[in-house]
Short mmCIF file of all heavy atoms in Angstrom, two decimals:
data_model
loop_
_atom_site.label_atom_id
_atom_site.label_comp_id
_atom_site.label_asym_id
_atom_site.label_seq_id
_atom_site.Cartn_x
_atom_site.Cartn_y
_atom_site.Cartn_z
N MET A 17 18.09 -6.06 13.08
CA MET A 17 18.61 -4.92 12.32
C MET A 17 19.12 -3.85 13.26
O MET A 17 18.51 -3.57 14.29
CB MET A 17 17.52 -4.33 11.42
CG MET A 17 16.96 -5.30 10.41
SD MET A 17 15.62 -4.59 9.45
CE MET A 17 16.55 -3.63 8.29
N SER A 18 20.24 -3.23 12.89
CA SER A 18 20.72 -2.06 13.63
C SER A 18 19.96 -0.85 13.13
O SER A 18 19.27 -0.91 12.10
CB SER A 18 22.22 -1.87 13.39
OG SER A 18 22.45 -1.51 12.04
N TYR A 19 20.09 0.28 13.81
CA TYR A 19 19.37 1.45 13.34
C TYR A 19 19.92 1.93 12.00
O TYR A 19 19.20 2.48 11.17
CB TYR A 19 19.33 2.57 14.38
CG TYR A 19 20.61 3.34 14.60
CD1 TYR A 19 20.92 4.44 13.81
CD2 TYR A 19 21.48 2.99 15.63
CE1 TYR A 19 22.09 5.16 14.02
CE2 TYR A 19 22.65 3.71 15.84
CZ TYR A 19 22.94 4.79 15.04
OH TYR A 19 24.08 5.51 15.25
N LEU A 20 21.21 1.69 11.75
CA LEU A 20 21.77 2.02 10.43
C LEU A 20 21.19 1.12 9.35
O LEU A 20 20.90 1.57 8.23
CB LEU A 20 23.30 1.88 10.46
CG LEU A 20 24.02 2.85 11.40
CD1 LEU A 20 25.50 2.51 11.48
CD2 LEU A 20 23.83 4.28 10.93
N GLY A 21 20.97 -0.15 9.67
CA GLY A 21 20.33 -1.07 8.73
C GLY A 21 18.91 -0.66 8.41
O GLY A 21 18.45 -0.76 7.27
N MET A 22 18.19 -0.18 9.44
CA MET A 22 16.82 0.30 9.20
C MET A 22 16.83 1.50 8.27
O MET A 22 16.05 1.58 7.32
CB MET A 22 16.17 0.68 10.53
CG MET A 22 15.84 -0.47 11.44
SD MET A 22 15.19 0.16 13.01
CE MET A 22 16.21 -0.70 14.16
N ASN A 23 17.72 2.45 8.55
CA ASN A 23 17.80 3.65 7.70
C ASN A 23 18.10 3.27 6.25
O ASN A 23 17.48 3.80 5.32
CB ASN A 23 18.88 4.60 8.22
CG ASN A 23 18.50 5.26 9.52
OD1 ASN A 23 17.36 5.18 9.97
ND2 ASN A 23 19.45 5.93 10.14
N ASN A 24 19.04 2.35 6.07
CA ASN A 24 19.39 1.93 4.71
C ASN A 24 18.23 1.22 4.03
O ASN A 24 17.99 1.42 2.84
CB ASN A 24 20.63 1.03 4.72
CG ASN A 24 21.89 1.79 5.07
OD1 ASN A 24 21.97 3.00 4.88
ND2 ASN A 24 22.87 1.09 5.60
N THR A 25 17.51 0.39 4.78
CA THR A 25 16.37 -0.32 4.21
C THR A 25 15.29 0.65 3.76
O THR A 25 14.76 0.54 2.65
CB THR A 25 15.79 -1.32 5.23
OG1 THR A 25 16.81 -2.27 5.57
CG2 THR A 25 14.59 -2.04 4.68
N PHE A 26 14.94 1.61 4.63
CA PHE A 26 13.90 2.59 4.27
C PHE A 26 14.35 3.45 3.09
O PHE A 26 13.57 3.72 2.17
CB PHE A 26 13.56 3.48 5.47
CG PHE A 26 12.81 2.77 6.56
CD1 PHE A 26 13.16 2.95 7.90
CD2 PHE A 26 11.74 1.94 6.29
CE1 PHE A 26 12.47 2.32 8.92
CE2 PHE A 26 11.03 1.30 7.29
CZ PHE A 26 11.40 1.49 8.62
N ARG A 27 15.61 3.86 3.08
CA ARG A 27 16.11 4.71 1.99
C ARG A 27 16.12 3.94 0.67
O ARG A 27 15.67 4.46 -0.36
CB ARG A 27 17.52 5.21 2.33
CG ARG A 27 18.03 6.29 1.40
CD ARG A 27 19.41 6.79 1.79
NE ARG A 27 19.42 7.44 3.10
CZ ARG A 27 20.05 6.98 4.17
NH1 ARG A 27 20.75 5.86 4.13
NH2 ARG A 27 20.02 7.65 5.31
N ASP A 28 16.61 2.70 0.68
CA ASP A 28 16.65 1.90 -0.54
C ASP A 28 15.24 1.59 -1.05
O ASP A 28 14.99 1.63 -2.26
CB ASP A 28 17.41 0.59 -0.30
CG ASP A 28 18.88 0.81 -0.03
OD1 ASP A 28 19.38 1.93 -0.29
OD2 ASP A 28 19.54 -0.13 0.46
N ALA A 29 14.34 1.26 -0.14
CA ALA A 29 12.96 0.96 -0.55
C ALA A 29 12.28 2.20 -1.14
O ALA A 29 11.49 2.09 -2.07
CB ALA A 29 12.16 0.43 0.63
N SER A 30 12.61 3.36 -0.60
CA SER A 30 12.04 4.60 -1.13
C SER A 30 12.51 4.84 -2.56
O SER A 30 11.72 5.25 -3.42
CB SER A 30 12.45 5.77 -0.24
OG SER A 30 11.92 6.97 -0.74
N ILE A 31 13.77 4.56 -2.83
CA ILE A 31 14.29 4.71 -4.20
C ILE A 31 13.66 3.67 -5.12
O ILE A 31 13.24 3.98 -6.24
CB ILE A 31 15.82 4.60 -4.19
CG1 ILE A 31 16.43 5.80 -3.45
CG2 ILE A 31 16.37 4.53 -5.61
CD1 ILE A 31 17.91 5.65 -3.13
N SER A 32 13.56 2.43 -4.66
CA SER A 32 12.99 1.36 -5.48
C SER A 32 11.52 1.57 -5.77
O SER A 32 11.01 1.09 -6.78
CB SER A 32 13.16 0.01 -4.78
OG SER A 32 14.51 -0.27 -4.56
N SER A 33 10.82 2.29 -4.90
CA SER A 33 9.38 2.49 -5.05
C SER A 33 9.02 3.45 -6.18
O SER A 33 7.90 3.43 -6.67
CB SER A 33 8.77 3.01 -3.75
OG SER A 33 8.93 2.07 -2.74
N GLY A 34 9.96 4.29 -6.57
CA GLY A 34 9.64 5.28 -7.60
C GLY A 34 8.59 6.24 -7.08
O GLY A 34 8.63 6.68 -5.93
N ASP A 35 7.62 6.57 -7.93
CA ASP A 35 6.55 7.48 -7.53
C ASP A 35 5.63 6.82 -6.51
O ASP A 35 5.27 7.41 -5.50
CB ASP A 35 5.76 7.91 -8.77
CG ASP A 35 4.65 8.87 -8.44
OD1 ASP A 35 4.89 9.78 -7.64
OD2 ASP A 35 3.53 8.71 -8.98
N HIS A 36 5.22 5.59 -6.79
CA HIS A 36 4.43 4.80 -5.84
C HIS A 36 4.51 3.33 -6.26
O HIS A 36 4.89 3.02 -7.38
CB HIS A 36 2.98 5.27 -5.76
CG HIS A 36 2.19 5.03 -7.02
ND1 HIS A 36 2.22 5.91 -8.07
CD2 HIS A 36 1.38 4.02 -7.37
CE1 HIS A 36 1.44 5.45 -9.03
NE2 HIS A 36 0.93 4.30 -8.64
N THR A 37 4.16 2.45 -5.34
CA THR A 37 4.26 1.01 -5.61
C THR A 37 3.30 0.23 -4.73
O THR A 37 2.83 0.73 -3.71
CB THR A 37 5.69 0.50 -5.38
OG1 THR A 37 5.79 -0.84 -5.86
CG2 THR A 37 6.09 0.54 -3.92
N THR A 38 3.04 -1.01 -5.14
CA THR A 38 2.39 -2.02 -4.29
C THR A 38 3.17 -3.33 -4.39
O THR A 38 2.64 -4.39 -4.07
CB THR A 38 0.93 -2.25 -4.73
OG1 THR A 38 0.91 -2.65 -6.10
CG2 THR A 38 0.07 -1.02 -4.54
N ASN A 39 4.42 -3.24 -4.80
CA ASN A 39 5.28 -4.41 -5.00
C ASN A 39 5.44 -5.17 -3.68
O ASN A 39 5.95 -4.63 -2.70
CB ASN A 39 6.64 -3.95 -5.53
CG ASN A 39 7.56 -5.10 -5.86
OD1 ASN A 39 7.43 -6.20 -5.35
ND2 ASN A 39 8.51 -4.84 -6.72
N PRO A 40 5.05 -6.46 -3.65
CA PRO A 40 5.16 -7.23 -2.39
C PRO A 40 6.58 -7.36 -1.87
O PRO A 40 6.79 -7.42 -0.66
CB PRO A 40 4.59 -8.60 -2.76
CG PRO A 40 3.79 -8.40 -3.99
CD PRO A 40 4.40 -7.25 -4.71
N ALA A 41 7.58 -7.40 -2.75
CA ALA A 41 8.97 -7.52 -2.29
C ALA A 41 9.38 -6.28 -1.49
O ALA A 41 10.01 -6.39 -0.43
CB ALA A 41 9.91 -7.72 -3.48
N ILE A 42 8.99 -5.11 -1.98
CA ILE A 42 9.31 -3.87 -1.25
C ILE A 42 8.51 -3.79 0.04
O ILE A 42 9.02 -3.42 1.09
CB ILE A 42 9.05 -2.65 -2.16
CG1 ILE A 42 10.00 -2.67 -3.34
CG2 ILE A 42 9.17 -1.36 -1.38
CD1 ILE A 42 9.74 -1.61 -4.39
N VAL A 43 7.22 -4.16 -0.04
CA VAL A 43 6.36 -4.12 1.15
C VAL A 43 6.91 -5.02 2.25
O VAL A 43 6.96 -4.63 3.42
CB VAL A 43 4.90 -4.53 0.77
CG1 VAL A 43 4.04 -4.66 2.00
CG2 VAL A 43 4.30 -3.53 -0.21
N ASN A 44 7.37 -6.22 1.89
CA ASN A 44 7.91 -7.15 2.90
C ASN A 44 9.21 -6.63 3.51
O ASN A 44 9.43 -6.74 4.71
CB ASN A 44 8.12 -8.53 2.29
CG ASN A 44 6.82 -9.23 1.97
OD1 ASN A 44 5.79 -8.93 2.56
ND2 ASN A 44 6.85 -10.14 1.03
N LYS A 45 10.06 -6.07 2.66
CA LYS A 45 11.33 -5.52 3.16
C LYS A 45 11.06 -4.40 4.16
O LYS A 45 11.68 -4.33 5.22
CB LYS A 45 12.14 -4.98 1.98
CG LYS A 45 13.52 -4.52 2.35
CD LYS A 45 14.24 -3.77 1.25
CE LYS A 45 14.22 -4.44 -0.09
NZ LYS A 45 15.01 -3.72 -1.10
N VAL A 46 10.10 -3.53 3.84
CA VAL A 46 9.75 -2.42 4.73
C VAL A 46 9.12 -2.95 6.02
O VAL A 46 9.36 -2.41 7.11
CB VAL A 46 8.83 -1.42 4.00
CG1 VAL A 46 8.22 -0.42 4.96
CG2 VAL A 46 9.59 -0.71 2.89
N ALA A 47 8.33 -4.01 5.92
CA ALA A 47 7.68 -4.58 7.11
C ALA A 47 8.71 -5.09 8.12
O ALA A 47 8.55 -4.91 9.33
CB ALA A 47 6.73 -5.70 6.71
N PHE A 48 9.79 -5.70 7.63
CA PHE A 48 10.84 -6.16 8.55
C PHE A 48 11.53 -4.97 9.23
O PHE A 48 11.84 -5.02 10.42
CB PHE A 48 11.87 -7.01 7.81
CG PHE A 48 11.38 -8.40 7.49
CD1 PHE A 48 11.43 -8.88 6.19
CD2 PHE A 48 10.88 -9.22 8.48
CE1 PHE A 48 10.98 -10.16 5.89
CE2 PHE A 48 10.42 -10.50 8.20
CZ PHE A 48 10.48 -10.97 6.89
N ALA A 49 11.76 -3.90 8.47
CA ALA A 49 12.38 -2.72 9.06
C ALA A 49 11.43 -2.05 10.06
O ALA A 49 11.87 -1.54 11.10
CB ALA A 49 12.79 -1.73 7.97
N GLU A 50 10.13 -2.07 9.78
CA GLU A 50 9.14 -1.53 10.72
C GLU A 50 9.15 -2.30 12.03
O GLU A 50 9.07 -1.71 13.10
CB GLU A 50 7.72 -1.63 10.14
CG GLU A 50 7.39 -0.65 9.08
CD GLU A 50 6.00 -0.92 8.52
OE1 GLU A 50 5.35 -1.90 8.92
OE2 GLU A 50 5.59 -0.13 7.67
N ASP A 51 9.24 -3.62 11.92
CA ASP A 51 9.28 -4.46 13.12
C ASP A 51 10.49 -4.10 13.98
O ASP A 51 10.38 -3.96 15.21
CB ASP A 51 9.33 -5.93 12.70
CG ASP A 51 9.53 -6.87 13.88
OD1 ASP A 51 8.66 -6.89 14.77
OD2 ASP A 51 10.57 -7.57 13.92
N ALA A 52 11.63 -3.91 13.34
CA ALA A 52 12.84 -3.52 14.08
C ALA A 52 12.69 -2.13 14.67
O ALA A 52 13.12 -1.87 15.81
CB ALA A 52 14.05 -3.59 13.14
N LEU A 53 12.07 -1.21 13.92
CA LEU A 53 11.87 0.16 14.40
C LEU A 53 10.99 0.18 15.65
O LEU A 53 11.28 0.89 16.62
CB LEU A 53 11.26 1.01 13.29
CG LEU A 53 10.87 2.45 13.65
CD1 LEU A 53 12.06 3.23 14.17
CD2 LEU A 53 10.26 3.14 12.43
N GLU A 54 9.93 -0.61 15.65
CA GLU A 54 9.04 -0.65 16.82
C GLU A 54 9.77 -1.22 18.04
O GLU A 54 9.59 -0.74 19.16
CB GLU A 54 7.78 -1.47 16.50
CG GLU A 54 6.86 -0.84 15.48
CD GLU A 54 6.34 0.52 15.92
OE1 GLU A 54 6.11 0.73 17.12
OE2 GLU A 54 6.16 1.39 15.03
N ALA A 55 10.61 -2.25 17.83
CA ALA A 55 11.37 -2.82 18.95
C ALA A 55 12.38 -1.80 19.49
O ALA A 55 12.57 -1.68 20.71
CB ALA A 55 12.09 -4.10 18.49
N TRP A 56 13.01 -1.06 18.60
CA TRP A 56 13.97 -0.03 19.01
C TRP A 56 13.28 1.08 19.77
O TRP A 56 13.74 1.51 20.84
CB TRP A 56 14.67 0.49 17.76
CG TRP A 56 15.57 1.66 17.94
CD1 TRP A 56 16.25 2.04 19.07
CD2 TRP A 56 15.92 2.64 16.94
NE1 TRP A 56 17.00 3.18 18.84
CE2 TRP A 56 16.81 3.56 17.53
CE3 TRP A 56 15.57 2.80 15.61
CZ2 TRP A 56 17.33 4.64 16.82
CZ3 TRP A 56 16.10 3.87 14.91
CH2 TRP A 56 16.98 4.78 15.52
N ALA A 57 12.14 1.56 19.26
CA ALA A 57 11.41 2.65 19.92
C ALA A 57 10.87 2.21 21.27
O ALA A 57 10.76 3.03 22.20
CB ALA A 57 10.28 3.13 19.01
N ALA A 58 10.54 0.94 21.42
CA ALA A 58 10.04 0.46 22.71
C ALA A 58 11.16 0.43 23.75
O ALA A 58 10.93 0.73 24.93
CB ALA A 58 9.44 -0.93 22.55
N LYS A 59 12.39 0.09 23.33
CA LYS A 59 13.50 -0.01 24.28
C LYS A 59 14.18 1.33 24.54
O LYS A 59 14.61 1.61 25.65
CB LYS A 59 14.53 -1.01 23.75
CG LYS A 59 15.60 -1.35 24.76
CD LYS A 59 16.40 -2.56 24.34
CE LYS A 59 17.43 -2.90 25.41
NZ LYS A 59 18.26 -4.04 25.03
N TYR A 60 14.26 2.18 23.50
CA TYR A 60 14.92 3.50 23.62
C TYR A 60 13.97 4.57 23.07
O TYR A 60 14.20 5.11 21.99
CB TYR A 60 16.23 3.52 22.84
CG TYR A 60 17.24 2.50 23.30
CD1 TYR A 60 17.34 1.26 22.68
CD2 TYR A 60 18.10 2.78 24.36
CE1 TYR A 60 18.28 0.33 23.10
CE2 TYR A 60 19.04 1.86 24.78
CZ TYR A 60 19.12 0.63 24.15
OH TYR A 60 20.05 -0.30 24.57
N PRO A 61 12.91 4.90 23.81
CA PRO A 61 11.89 5.81 23.26
C PRO A 61 12.37 7.24 23.03
O PRO A 61 11.74 7.98 22.25
CB PRO A 61 10.77 5.77 24.31
CG PRO A 61 11.41 5.29 25.56
CD PRO A 61 12.56 4.43 25.15
N HIS A 62 13.45 7.66 23.66
CA HIS A 62 13.94 9.04 23.50
C HIS A 62 15.26 9.12 22.74
O HIS A 62 15.95 10.14 22.81
CB HIS A 62 14.06 9.71 24.87
CG HIS A 62 12.78 9.72 25.64
ND1 HIS A 62 11.68 10.45 25.25
CD2 HIS A 62 12.42 9.05 26.77
CE1 HIS A 62 10.70 10.24 26.11
NE2 HIS A 62 11.11 9.39 27.04
N ASP A 63 15.59 8.07 22.02
CA ASP A 63 16.83 8.08 21.23
C ASP A 63 16.71 9.16 20.15
O ASP A 63 15.76 9.16 19.37
CB ASP A 63 17.01 6.70 20.58
CG ASP A 63 18.38 6.55 19.92
OD1 ASP A 63 18.98 7.57 19.52
OD2 ASP A 63 18.83 5.41 19.79
N PRO A 64 17.64 10.12 20.12
CA PRO A 64 17.53 11.20 19.13
C PRO A 64 17.63 10.71 17.68
O PRO A 64 17.15 11.39 16.77
CB PRO A 64 18.68 12.14 19.48
CG PRO A 64 19.57 11.39 20.40
CD PRO A 64 18.77 10.31 21.02
N GLN A 65 18.22 9.54 17.47
CA GLN A 65 18.30 9.01 16.10
C GLN A 65 16.96 8.50 15.58
O GLN A 65 16.80 8.28 14.37
CB GLN A 65 19.34 7.87 16.04
CG GLN A 65 20.76 8.31 16.24
CD GLN A 65 21.21 9.27 15.14
OE1 GLN A 65 20.85 9.12 13.97
NE2 GLN A 65 21.99 10.27 15.52
N LEU A 66 15.99 8.32 16.47
CA LEU A 66 14.67 7.88 16.05
C LEU A 66 14.01 8.87 15.08
O LEU A 66 13.27 8.46 14.19
CB LEU A 66 13.75 7.67 17.27
CG LEU A 66 13.83 6.34 17.97
CD1 LEU A 66 13.05 6.38 19.29
CD2 LEU A 66 13.32 5.22 17.10
N ALA A 67 14.28 10.16 15.27
CA ALA A 67 13.65 11.17 14.41
C ALA A 67 14.00 10.92 12.94
O ALA A 67 13.12 10.96 12.08
CB ALA A 67 14.10 12.57 14.83
N ARG A 68 15.27 10.65 12.65
CA ARG A 68 15.68 10.41 11.27
C ARG A 68 15.03 9.14 10.72
O ARG A 68 14.54 9.12 9.59
CB ARG A 68 17.20 10.27 11.19
CG ARG A 68 17.72 9.95 9.80
CD ARG A 68 19.21 9.58 9.80
NE ARG A 68 20.00 10.47 10.60
CZ ARG A 68 20.57 11.60 10.14
NH1 ARG A 68 20.41 11.93 8.88
NH2 ARG A 68 21.28 12.36 10.94
N THR A 69 15.01 8.08 11.51
CA THR A 69 14.47 6.81 11.04
C THR A 69 12.96 6.91 10.84
O THR A 69 12.43 6.38 9.85
CB THR A 69 14.83 5.67 12.00
OG1 THR A 69 16.25 5.70 12.23
CG2 THR A 69 14.45 4.33 11.44
N TYR A 70 12.26 7.57 11.75
CA TYR A 70 10.82 7.79 11.55
C TYR A 70 10.57 8.60 10.27
O TYR A 70 9.63 8.33 9.53
CB TYR A 70 10.21 8.53 12.74
CG TYR A 70 9.83 7.66 13.92
CD1 TYR A 70 10.11 8.07 15.22
CD2 TYR A 70 9.18 6.45 13.75
CE1 TYR A 70 9.77 7.30 16.31
CE2 TYR A 70 8.83 5.67 14.82
CZ TYR A 70 9.12 6.09 16.11
OH TYR A 70 8.76 5.32 17.18
N PHE A 71 11.42 9.59 10.03
CA PHE A 71 11.26 10.40 8.82
C PHE A 71 11.43 9.54 7.57
O PHE A 71 10.62 9.60 6.64
CB PHE A 71 12.27 11.56 8.82
CG PHE A 71 12.25 12.35 7.55
CD1 PHE A 71 11.28 13.31 7.33
CD2 PHE A 71 13.19 12.13 6.56
CE1 PHE A 71 11.24 14.04 6.16
CE2 PHE A 71 13.17 12.86 5.38
CZ PHE A 71 12.20 13.81 5.18
N LEU A 72 12.49 8.73 7.54
CA LEU A 72 12.73 7.86 6.39
C LEU A 72 11.60 6.84 6.22
O LEU A 72 11.19 6.52 5.10
CB LEU A 72 14.08 7.15 6.53
CG LEU A 72 15.31 8.05 6.47
CD1 LEU A 72 16.56 7.26 6.84
CD2 LEU A 72 15.45 8.68 5.10
N ALA A 73 11.08 6.34 7.35
CA ALA A 73 9.95 5.42 7.28
C ALA A 73 8.72 6.12 6.72
O ALA A 73 7.98 5.55 5.91
CB ALA A 73 9.66 4.85 8.67
N THR A 74 8.48 7.36 7.13
CA THR A 74 7.34 8.12 6.62
C THR A 74 7.43 8.29 5.11
O THR A 74 6.44 8.12 4.39
CB THR A 74 7.25 9.50 7.31
OG1 THR A 74 7.14 9.31 8.71
CG2 THR A 74 6.07 10.29 6.81
N VAL A 75 8.62 8.62 4.63
CA VAL A 75 8.81 8.85 3.19
C VAL A 75 8.48 7.59 2.39
O VAL A 75 7.74 7.65 1.40
CB VAL A 75 10.25 9.32 2.91
CG1 VAL A 75 10.54 9.33 1.42
CG2 VAL A 75 10.48 10.70 3.50
N VAL A 76 8.99 6.45 2.81
CA VAL A 76 8.74 5.23 2.04
C VAL A 76 7.31 4.74 2.21
O VAL A 76 6.69 4.25 1.26
CB VAL A 76 9.76 4.12 2.37
CG1 VAL A 76 9.53 3.53 3.75
CG2 VAL A 76 9.70 3.02 1.32
N GLU A 77 6.74 4.88 3.40
CA GLU A 77 5.36 4.42 3.61
C GLU A 77 4.38 5.22 2.75
O GLU A 77 3.39 4.67 2.28
CB GLU A 77 4.97 4.55 5.09
CG GLU A 77 5.78 3.69 6.04
CD GLU A 77 5.42 2.23 6.02
OE1 GLU A 77 4.65 1.79 5.16
OE2 GLU A 77 5.92 1.51 6.90
N ARG A 78 4.66 6.49 2.54
CA ARG A 78 3.78 7.31 1.68
C ARG A 78 3.81 6.84 0.24
O ARG A 78 2.88 7.06 -0.52
CB ARG A 78 4.19 8.78 1.75
CG ARG A 78 3.86 9.41 3.09
CD ARG A 78 4.25 10.85 3.12
NE ARG A 78 3.21 11.65 2.50
CZ ARG A 78 3.14 12.97 2.59
NH1 ARG A 78 4.05 13.63 3.26
NH2 ARG A 78 2.17 13.62 2.00
N LYS A 79 4.89 6.18 -0.16
CA LYS A 79 5.01 5.71 -1.54
C LYS A 79 4.39 4.34 -1.76
O LYS A 79 4.24 3.89 -2.89
CB LYS A 79 6.49 5.66 -1.95
CG LYS A 79 7.12 7.02 -2.09
CD LYS A 79 8.53 6.87 -2.59
CE LYS A 79 9.14 8.22 -2.91
NZ LYS A 79 10.42 8.06 -3.62
N ILE A 80 4.07 3.62 -0.68
CA ILE A 80 3.44 2.30 -0.79
C ILE A 80 1.94 2.51 -0.67
O ILE A 80 1.43 2.82 0.40
CB ILE A 80 3.97 1.34 0.28
CG1 ILE A 80 5.48 1.16 0.13
CG2 ILE A 80 3.25 0.00 0.19
CD1 ILE A 80 6.12 0.32 1.21
N TRP A 81 1.23 2.33 -1.79
CA TRP A 81 -0.19 2.66 -1.84
C TRP A 81 -1.05 1.47 -1.40
O TRP A 81 -1.88 0.97 -2.14
CB TRP A 81 -0.56 3.15 -3.22
CG TRP A 81 -0.09 4.55 -3.46
CD1 TRP A 81 0.80 5.27 -2.73
CD2 TRP A 81 -0.49 5.42 -4.53
NE1 TRP A 81 0.99 6.52 -3.26
CE2 TRP A 81 0.20 6.63 -4.37
CE3 TRP A 81 -1.35 5.27 -5.60
CZ2 TRP A 81 0.04 7.71 -5.24
CZ3 TRP A 81 -1.50 6.34 -6.48
CH2 TRP A 81 -0.82 7.54 -6.29
#
Side-chain angles (χ1 to χ4, degrees):
M17 299 177 79
S18 67
Y19 74 86
L20 296 173
M22 290 176 231
N23 290 350
N24 290 336
T25 299
F26 289 136
R27 191 178 296 114
D28 293 346
S30 179
I31 293 168
S32 300
S33 297
D35 181 43
H36 67 276
T37 189
T38 57
N39 184 337
I42 295 173
V43 173
N44 290 337
K45 186 190 311 184
V46 169
F48 285 126
E50 285 176 357
D51 174 62
L53 175 58
E54 293 300 326
W56 173 26
K59 189 167 182 182
Y60 300 95
H62 303 293
D63 189 334
Q65 292 297 323
L66 275 170
R68 177 190 314 271
T69 308
Y70 277 138
F71 174 80
L72 294 171
T74 301
V75 170
V76 71
E77 297 284 10
R78 290 181 82 168
K79 291 184 173 190
I80 300 175
W81 285 14

